[in-house]
Amino acid sequence: FSDPLAMTLEERKSHLGMRKVWGDLIAADYEQQKTSPHLFPGKARKQWYQRRVRGRAAYVYAHGGGAVACSAADVRPGLQCAAVHMDVVVFNVDYRLAPETKCPNNIKDFYETIKFVSTNAESFGIDPAKIVISGESGGGYITLGAMVLLAENNETDLVKLAIPSIPMVDDYCFSDPLAMTVEERKSHMAMRKIWGDLIAADYEEQKTSP
């Protein structure tokens, strides 16, 4: 009975049939019974669960894409599975991308999200001592950058665990190509451009910055 535009293709194919089953066949009077826990016991259980469950862990995630591409929407299906199967509250951060946003502002988006989650933990049903941050590739760079900001501001206690997965933080692409593997040589110029021209506001000034 929800908005078909918010449904998957499979759900849209069957939702009219299910409406007829509930509205015309099962319910004695659908309009009178639609809020009854006897008609939709699963809905009532969900509402009860949301009211009762507190103190879950938070999972704050930064998507990959070299900090120049992709979006939070790309990783939504996987994070939805994580939320259900790990019983965590997921925050899928759509941080700003380069080159429109230069370092460290993309990192600050993630950092401010961590602080927001911590400050509002009770309203989200979260235990503030169980906040996990994570990201992969470019999101791993964002995660590690946020860890630096937390350390600089004496706020490391806000995060229980950090999981930067295959983080894009190595400056190896600026080293001698002759010492690289074939695969590294194929991509090192692209990585130099991402770091030097797209992410950094001033690469020469920022290249030694944590």
Side-chain angles (χ1 to χ4, degrees):
F1 290 92
S2 60
D3 184 357
L5 294 177
M7 298 178 183
T8 65
L9 178 61
E10 291 72 18
E11 290 168 340
R12 285 199 295 274
K13 287 179 180 178
S14 63
H15 83 283
L16 288 176
M18 289 306 301
R19 285 187 182 187
K20 183 172 180 63
V21 169
W22 285 113
D24 299 341
L25 304 180
I26 295 179
D29 184 328
Y30 175 74
E31 288 303 317
Q32 181 181 345
Q33 292 181 291
K34 65 183 179 181
T35 58
S36 168
H38 301 106
L39 182 62
F40 290 120
K43 182 178 180 181
R45 180 183 181 279
K46 180 181 178 182
Q47 292 170 341
W48 174 88
Y49 183 79
Q50 290 174 335
R51 288 196 304 269
R52 295 290 181 178
V53 174
R54 291 291 183 268
R56 285 179 291 179
Y59 186 60
V60 187
Y61 190 80
H63 65 82
V68 298
C70 302
S71 71
D74 297 324
V75 294
R76 185 180 298 145
L79 292 178
Q80 288 172 333
C81 289
V84 172
H85 293 293
M86 298 194 303
D87 193 26
V88 296
V89 181
V90 172
F91 296 86
N92 186 14
V93 184
D94 214 10
Y95 58 89
R96 290 171 293 170
L97 301 176
E100 292 77 11
T101 299
K102 299 294 187 178
C103 173
N105 293 323
N106 45 12
I107 294 170
K108 288 180 177 178
D109 289 347
F110 195 67
Y111 165 76
E112 291 296 338
T113 301
I114 297 167
K115 296 193 67 173
F116 177 81
V117 171
S118 177
T119 301
N120 298 278
E122 184 176 355
S123 64
F124 291 124
I126 293 166
D127 182 344
K130 296 180 180 178
I131 296 177
V132 177
I133 63 174
S134 182
E136 65 172 302
S137 190
Y141 145 69
I142 296 293
T143 302
L144 279 169
M147 292 164 64
V148 171
L149 284 178
L150 289 167
E152 288 178 339
N153 293 300
N154 295 316
E155 295 170 324
T156 53
D157 59 314
L158 298 183
V159 172
K160 177 69 173 180
L161 177 66
I163 312 173
S165 176
I166 53 170
M168 191 184 78
V169 293
D170 200 325
D171 63 355
Y172 189 67
C173 61
F174 290 95
S175 61
D176 184 355
L178 295 178
M180 298 179 182
T181 65
V182 173
E183 291 76 13
E184 289 166 342
R185 282 198 296 275
K186 286 180 179 178
S187 64
H188 82 284
M189 292 304 296
M191 290 305 300
R192 286 186 183 187
K193 182 172 180 62
I194 288 174
W195 284 117
D197 299 338
L198 303 182
I199 295 179
D202 185 327
Y203 176 74
E204 290 302 318
E205 180 183 338
Q206 292 180 292
K207 65 182 180 181
T208 58
S209 169

